[in-house]
Amino acid sequence: MSSTTPRSSPGLDLIGDVHGMRETLDALIEGLGYRRVDTRWAHPKGRTLVSVGDLLDRGPDSLGCCERLAELIDAGCGRMILGNHELNALHYMADLREHSPKNREQFAATLAQIEARPRRWDAIEDFLMGQPTRLLLDEGRLRVIHACWDAHTLERLPEHLDATILRESARGGALEDVFERYIKGPEESCPPYQDQNGHTRSTRRLPWWRDYASDAPKVAFGHYWFPWASELPDRAPGWLGPGENATCLDFSAGKGGPLLALRYPEMEFVMVPNRDVR
């Protein structure tokens, strides 16, 4: 697979969904040891920060979160993959996503920043279009996906976006089902219910990691809004699935929860409290 990299790095720091919480992101970056040196970011031990996506929406500074990751990537000490909120934003701004009240509400915080400074979005759009959809790191021993790793149809997922793939990934496009599964996660039909935002839904997300092969490489993902430990201690960061080789790094920072990182290969979890939601 062409996204495989040579044996990487002195270490990786994988971070969960940020959702516009820039102060919280900066606190985690600093806590992990990254420093700005002569206007460029670096880690004294050569480590690399890896975002599992969903930098956008909900929090007060989505565009600032993208700009921070862009700085780290430009300095050679950062990487990220696309989340569904990045894909939704690209679709929305290209008129490939319905501008319905529900979609506009989800996108409201980011859209307000874009409308205030459109040229700022132009640079971020170019940045996001250049990011991959999944990563296979450290000679294949670590997988990173935003929502779901499914080996059976993985090869249908393009590694990067371009204008054609962006159209095909939107509703009704030839790749809609692929992106729905990998970047948004598998779902099943269920009786209608109201989600936390008051919207009526008739599908629910499936915990695919319960069937993740026990002999497969370790996989880190976000997307699933795990409750944070202060609310539900048995959902503290850890390893999931029959082989205990899958871990979710989304501990609901977008709802005021902490921001979580996994240090690899140490397999240590690092968490900082939310600094943006009081």
Side-chain angles (χ1 to χ4, degrees):
M1 189 178 300
S2 58
S3 59
T4 303
T5 61
R7 178 165 179 85
S8 60
S9 80
L12 303 170
D13 298 307
L14 285 74
I15 64 170
D17 302 35
V18 177
H19 282 302
M21 308 296 176
R22 190 187 58 79
E23 290 187 22
T24 309
L25 173 61
D26 285 347
L28 182 59
I29 290 171
E30 181 178 349
L32 292 169
Y34 295 84
R35 298 290 183 268
R36 197 191 297 269
V37 180
D38 296 331
T39 73
R40 288 179 65 83
W41 288 92
H43 193 283
K45 296 183 178 179
R47 298 181 70 90
T48 299
L49 189 86
V50 182
S51 165
V52 303
D54 274 8
L55 298 173
L56 296 179
D57 297 335
R58 305 187 189 279
D61 194 3
S62 290
L63 301 190
C65 292
C66 287
E67 289 163 347
R68 181 69 77 240
L69 257 293
E71 291 170 0
L72 289 157
I73 292 170
D74 183 63
C77 61
R79 301 184 74 173
M80 76 165 287
I81 57 173
L82 293 172
N84 60 301
H85 282 259
E86 283 79 49
L87 187 64
N88 288 346
L90 292 167
H91 285 161
Y92 192 100
M93 296 303 295
D95 291 328
L96 297 170
R97 181 173 171 83
E98 183 184 4
H99 290 199
S100 65
K102 175 186 172 184
N103 291 343
R104 187 178 178 89
E105 178 186 338
Q106 182 188 67
F107 193 42
T110 306
L111 185 60
Q113 287 191 294
I114 293 171
E115 291 176 340
R117 291 179 59 190
R119 290 186 180 179
R120 191 178 179 194
W121 169 252
D122 292 342
I124 290 171
E125 180 182 32
D126 289 343
F127 164 69
L128 294 177
M129 289 290 289
Q131 303 313 305
T133 54
R134 87 282 195 180
L135 296 173
L136 185 60
L137 299 168
D138 200 17
E139 295 181 334
R141 287 177 290 183
L142 177 66
R143 295 168 169 173
V144 186
I145 194 75
H146 179 66
C148 173
W149 193 282
D150 181 346
H152 295 295
T153 51
L154 178 65
E155 294 303 327
R156 292 184 61 204
L157 180 70
E159 290 189 22
H160 292 85
L161 299 178
D162 58 26
T164 298
I165 291 173
L166 189 66
R167 288 193 300 272
E168 292 181 347
S169 66
R171 183 173 295 276
L175 293 172
E176 179 190 6
D177 62 326
V178 176
F179 279 83
E180 286 288 317
R181 186 168 187 83
Y182 291 110
I183 289 185
K184 299 184 180 181
E187 298 184 345
E188 67 177 2
S189 298
C190 67
Y193 68 97
Q194 282 197 327
D195 66 14
Q196 70 271 18
N197 298 313
H199 300 303
T200 300
R201 296 184 179 273
S202 57
T203 60
R204 59 189 172 199
R205 294 173 177 176
L206 294 173
W208 58 270
W209 53 86
R210 293 179 182 172
D211 298 316
Y212 186 66
S214 59
D215 59 349
K218 289 187 181 295
V219 60
F221 59 96
H223 187 66
Y224 282 87
W225 295 101
F226 273 37
W228 54 99
S230 63
E231 286 196 351
L232 199 58
D234 65 340
R235 296 300 289 274
W239 294 94
L240 309 167
E244 296 187 343
N245 53 349
T247 189
C248 182
L249 301 180
D250 180 3
F251 269 67
S252 302
K255 297 178 183 177
L259 188 57
L260 179 66
L262 170 67
R263 294 172 65 84
Y264 179 89
E266 297 89 345
M267 301 303 178
E268 298 172 354
F269 292 100
V270 177
M271 186 179 284
V272 298
N274 200 301
R275 306 291 180 90
D276 297 83
V277 178
R278 309 301 182 190

